[in-house]
Amino acid sequence: MGDLFPDIKKIQYEGPLSKNPLAFREYDADEIVAGKPMKEHFRFAMSWWHTICASGSDMFGSGTAIRPWDREPHPVKRAKLAADGAFEFMQKLGIEYFCFHDRDIAPEAPTLAETNERLDEVCGYVGDLMKKTGIKLLWGTANLFSHPRYMHGAATSCNADVFAYAAAQVKKAMTLTRDMGGVNYVFWGGREGYETLLNTNMSLELDNLARFLKMATEYAKEIGFTGQLLIEPKPKEPTKHQYDYDVPAVLAFLRKYGLENDFKINLEANHATLAGHTFHHELHIARINGVLGSIDANQGDLFLGWDTDNFPTDVNAATLAMLEVLKNGGIAPGGFNFDAHVRRPSFQDDDLFIAYIVGMDTFAKGLKVAAKLLEEGEIEEFVSKRYASYSAGIGKKIVDGQVGFSDLEAYALRNDQPRNVSGRQEMLEAIVNRYMLNP
Ligand code: XUL
Ligand code: CO
């Protein structure tokens, strides 16, 4: 283990009563919950961009954090030192995966060819660290949004040269992801959306996005990349309207263009809430459609209207999320990537560790509560009774496709005073609280 964070020791599980901010209270990696070790449920990952690159800068001011590698002036040497820091950080937290954008791991050079050379050099270095530590790549992706060339989008740019550049970038990022043993590849549509329809040919832009993704699936096959391809929905920001708005929008797009067997979905909590949904809602839709691929774990701020990417601390939301993950039969080959950053005033290195610890503890607690809820089955039983009318009589005939409107009219004429029973929402919320508060 390196010594870029000399004051931080390996983070240990100390149990729920510990007051040590640099210890786990809920996350005990090898503890068996619902039949497997906690670490296998989560496959926690470090986001390279928010953890290693982010400095705390925002629209109103520059960065506040100076990481140990930031003092190195040479870009490639700095990238390698940052990689040392990343692996030390993950080892100290017991995190076994990471995720990266091409431009996080090695900064752009003046030409595409030189940029690719830099990437090869730094990814080679990262590959050696992976071998030494056993840490793996959950997913790679290409940053198709930061550089000014992407002002109009990438695959949906009005400029075909930019489409071509973006394709070259994904080709390289996917090849590197394969070479580094990555088990997924993510497409988040950075600037794939629009600001005003007055200058936008939406129909062509969507067709082009589909063409781009189709080429990506073909290239994956060509190079033998067998990882899962994932699309990450987000409704807005940076553009006013992002095309991959939410799970239903992505599903409709994939089905329209015949891409539904090639992609699953990477769901981010703060993107769900930006779309006006709970994370639970988006996870549920993804699960029942068989496309829940991976998770970007974070949470938004109710009082700010943007993607604040806070570390998750809401145990109730984590419990509901874990219910979906357990019902999905797990998340692998996906995982839980902390697409979250510390607040700008939390500029010290130990704040980064504390933030990951609270995020991991929050999901660990959510997992334990969700596992217990499923084991005891109170909620499942309630829901199954709620729909019992479809298991017999007229309901069964509806489900089996044995009746039409005329049969139903005849039935309704004979039974024109339907009797309902309570939905008992408050009782169900109290049950969740009971398991959360009295384990
Ligand atoms: C942006 C976002 C991205 C993707 C990867 O809101 O979530 O970091 O996860 O490009
Ligand atoms: Co994300």
Side-chain angles (χ1 to χ4, degrees), residues 58-88:
D58 66 15
M59 287 201 291
F60 301 94
S62 54
T64 51
I66 299 166
R67 302 299 176 207
W69 44 90
D70 286 335
R71 294 197 174 85
E72 168 57 56
H74 187 277
V76 173
K77 280 192 196 153
R78 184 168 59 246
K80 289 184 182 171
L81 197 58
D84 291 338
F87 280 77
E88 181 181 337

Side-chain angles (χ1 to χ4, degrees), residues 33-327:
V33 179
K36 60 182 180 192
M38 279 197 195
K39 63 178 183 186
E40 283 180 29
H41 281 281
F42 295 115
R43 300 157 59 82
F44 283 130
M46 182 201 76
S47 60
W48 205 281
W49 54 104
H50 279 323
T51 314
I52 304 305
C53 306
S55 63
S57 65
D58 66 15
M59 287 201 291
F60 301 94
S62 54
T64 51
I66 299 166
R67 302 299 176 207
W69 44 90
D70 286 335
R71 294 197 174 85
E72 168 57 56
H74 187 277
V76 173
K77 280 192 196 153
R78 184 168 59 246
K80 289 184 182 171
L81 197 58
D84 291 338
F87 280 77
E88 181 181 337
F89 182 78
M90 290 185 274
Q91 279 191 302
K92 287 187 168 167
L93 279 162
I95 288 184
E96 296 183 341
Y97 295 87
F98 66 98
C99 304
F100 76 101
H101 299 82
D102 49 1
R103 301 306 180 242
D104 310 333
I105 219 156
E108 248 186 89
T111 67
L112 181 58
E114 286 168 287
T115 300
N116 286 346
E117 274 167 33
R118 265 191 192 177
L119 263 173
D120 286 335
E121 183 174 346
V122 183
C123 286
Y125 186 79
V126 168
D128 290 343
L129 290 171
M130 291 172 74
K131 271 189 218 117
K132 262 188 223 148
T133 60
I135 288 172
K136 300 174 280 277
L137 175 59
L138 186 68
W139 50 261
T141 189
N143 178 330
L144 307 179
F145 45 91
S146 295
H147 193 279
R149 77 175 68 84
Y150 293 121
M151 64 176 72
H152 301 298
T156 65
S157 173
C158 49
N159 182 345
D161 285 354
V162 174
F163 185 106
Y165 195 105
Q169 223 182 297
V170 170
K171 176 176 182 286
K172 183 71 185 168
M174 196 183 278
T175 310
L176 288 168
T177 300
R178 178 203 61 179
D179 294 346
M180 293 159 84
V183 286
N184 300 273
Y185 184 91
V186 163
F187 294 85
W188 167 59
R191 291 183 192 273
E192 315 295 24
Y194 71 84
E195 296 297 334
T196 171
L197 285 175
L198 293 175
N199 67 11
T200 303
N201 182 343
M202 191 195 282
S203 180
L204 176 65
E205 289 199 5
L206 288 170
D207 287 351
N208 280 349
L209 181 56
R211 290 182 181 110
F212 191 92
L213 293 174
K214 179 91 188 132
M215 289 181 210
T217 63
E218 286 162 1
Y219 183 67
K221 282 194 194 93
E222 193 182 318
I223 63 166
F225 175 64
T226 52
Q228 177 65 52
L229 304 181
L230 297 166
I231 294 189
E232 182 176 329
K234 185 176 184 179
K236 56 187 166 191
E237 195 196 333
T239 71
K240 178 174 84 170
H241 181 97
Q242 303 268 132
Y243 292 136
D244 297 330
Y245 194 96
D246 57 5
V247 174
V250 171
L251 281 176
F253 172 87
L254 292 174
R255 287 170 184 163
K256 173 176 175 187
Y257 292 101
L259 293 165
E260 68 273 26
N261 297 324
D262 297 305
F263 292 86
K264 285 192 172 179
I265 294 184
N266 181 40
L267 272 175
E268 178 164 330
N270 204 166
H271 296 180
T273 50
L274 274 182
H277 308 308
T278 60
F279 191 33
H280 190 195
H281 168 100
E282 284 276 89
L283 287 167
H284 190 90
I285 298 189
R287 176 175 69 78
I288 65 177
N289 281 283
V291 291
L292 176 50
S294 198
I295 284 176
D296 271 8
N298 64 14
Q299 74 186 30
D301 188 310
L302 269 185
F303 297 97
L304 300 173
W306 63 90
D307 193 18
T308 61
D309 287 341
N310 288 47
F311 276 86
T313 55
D314 181 339
V315 176
N316 189 277
T319 299
L320 300 176
M322 292 316 296
L323 272 177
E324 294 300 326
V325 172
L326 289 174
K327 287 188 196 170

